[in-house]
Amino acid sequence: MKNQVTSIYKQAERFADITKKSIISGNIVRAKKCLALAERLFINGSMETKNAISNVYIFSVSSFMEVRHCNISHLFPQTLKAEYIKQVNTSGV
């Protein structure tokens, strides 16, 4: 069980990697499904889950998309998009 994911933050990181690989391969339908699932976890999850989605998943996926000059406005569901905007405004970017 060498590859076993041990924490919710590692799971969020792995989930972000899956989402980014979907975007790279052009599988936007799968990427949107991943983002929709992340939004459900963010809305309905425990405080720890919400923190992992916000601090690991959203940060990782949005950073990746900005570096690659992807337009995130049509991909991110409403709640995740609002959290992303909150992060950007907090960072002063």
Side-chain angles (χ1 to χ4, degrees):
M1 298 248 176
K2 191 165 105 177
N3 293 330
Q4 185 177 6
V5 178
T6 55
S7 77
I8 193 149
Y9 297 98
K10 291 261 187 219
Q11 290 175 353
E13 186 178 330
R14 176 70 182 120
F15 189 35
D17 289 343
I18 292 167
T19 306
K20 292 185 285 189
K21 285 178 185 171
S22 297
I23 294 167
I24 291 169
S25 68
N27 193 345
I28 302 304
V29 172
R30 183 174 185 206
K32 283 185 175 183
K33 285 181 182 178
C34 289
L35 288 162
L37 176 57
E39 180 168 55
R40 277 200 318 268
L41 290 169
F42 185 76
I43 292 169
N44 301 318
S46 68
M47 200 58 180
E48 187 177 29
T49 300
K50 290 178 184 188
N51 285 335
I53 295 297
S54 178
N55 297 330
V56 177
Y57 183 84
I58 294 174
F59 179 79
S60 178
V61 173
S62 62
S63 297
F64 163 82
M65 292 172 75
E66 286 191 15
V67 166
R68 294 191 174 244
H69 304 291
C70 296
N71 183 359
I72 66 156
S73 62
H74 70 285
L75 287 180
F76 270 66
Q78 185 176 356
T79 306
L80 290 187
K81 189 174 174 183
E83 184 65 19
Y84 163 74
I85 290 168
K86 189 169 97 175
Q87 284 182 11
V88 169
N89 289 337
T90 301
S91 70
V93 175

